[in-house]
Amino acid sequence: AYYFEIPSDIDSMIDIALGNCFTYADVGVANDRHFVNVSAMGALIDVSQKTDPNLKNTIGVMAYYLKAVTEVPNLKAMPVKLITPEKTYEEEIFFMVVMNGISAGGFKQISPDSEINDGMLDVIAFRKMPVLELGPLLFNVINGNHSKNKHVLTFQTEKLRVESPEQVSTDIDGERGEE
């Protein structure tokens, strides 16, 4: 809805839903589950599921940020191998998102250059870094200025295989995914 700038009033939404407005969209597949917007993995990806719904209703997106701060002491980097047709990356990351849209988890500009129908997946991996550098990086993510940070790996690909010797939590379009 954010990507397509769908209005927030119900009458306008119904007009769009019942109208003849459509576009083609890429669909990703992660462990046999399809996603349109985002597939995420690693630490912090379940923050939205752990955040108190009452707090979400009271302070909105700030509830996610506050919950994420409480999870920082538990952050642990995981080794991953990211295999694409173009290149293989071996990294230690905290978490990663594979985007098709521009926003996820309350972050409006996490992948500002993503196109929903360009045939490409936009990969953003947050590398292991000193915990003190997470705060400034969070502000960069909020503003969509994180892609040039040395602790952020970004690339586009048509196909991605992720391997890790560790069990990794996943989230598919905001729902808990398989490990």
Side-chain angles (χ1 to χ4, degrees):
Y2 179 75
Y3 181 87
F4 287 113
E5 299 175 354
I6 294 179
S8 58
D9 69 282
I10 191 70
D11 290 332
S12 297
M13 289 181 200
I14 290 172
D15 288 344
I16 291 170
L18 297 177
N20 194 21
C21 299
F22 67 91
T23 188
Y24 293 98
D26 301 333
V27 177
V29 181
N31 291 343
D32 298 322
R33 288 190 49 195
H34 294 79
F35 67 93
V36 176
N37 190 48
V38 61
S39 176
M41 62 175 277
L44 301 179
I45 58 104
D46 58 353
V47 164
S48 64
Q49 295 151 11
K50 291 180 178 177
T51 303
D52 181 342
N54 294 322
L55 195 57
K56 284 188 235 183
N57 291 334
T58 305
I59 63 172
V61 73
M62 282 302 295
Y64 297 119
Y65 303 151
L66 292 173
K67 182 61 182 172
V69 168
T70 68
E71 297 289 317
V72 167
N74 304 324
L75 263 181
K76 180 181 171 274
M78 65 192 143
V80 293
K81 185 185 279 190
L82 308 174
I83 305 162
T84 74
E86 302 83 23
K87 185 175 180 177
T88 297
Y89 304 86
E90 293 198 38
E91 299 282 343
E92 278 192 275
I93 64 169
F94 286 138
F95 53 94
M96 181 176 85
V97 291
V98 179
M99 301 291 299
N100 200 24
I102 59 175
S103 67
F107 294 97
K108 300 283 189 199
Q109 295 291 319
I110 197 161
S111 190
D113 298 324
S114 288
E115 297 286 339
I116 201 161
N117 55 9
D118 63 356
M120 303 295 280
L121 298 169
D122 295 86
V123 180
I124 305 166
F126 295 85
R127 295 178 168 120
K128 181 179 179 178
M129 70 188 83
V131 174
L132 291 176
E133 294 186 35
L134 275 173
L137 179 57
L138 174 63
F139 286 107
N140 286 335
V141 172
I142 291 169
N143 295 317
N145 300 330
H146 54 285
S147 64
K148 293 179 178 67
N149 186 296
K150 66 182 177 183
H151 299 300
V152 179
L153 169 66
T154 62
F155 61 90
Q156 284 188 313
T157 187
E158 290 182 5
K159 188 173 184 174
L160 172 67
R161 178 176 172 83
V162 180
E163 296 178 357
S164 179
E166 299 179 10
Q167 291 291 325
V168 179
S169 298
T170 66
D171 181 282
I172 310 295
D173 274 341
E175 301 292 326
R176 186 178 306 277
E178 302 84 16
E179 291 196 350

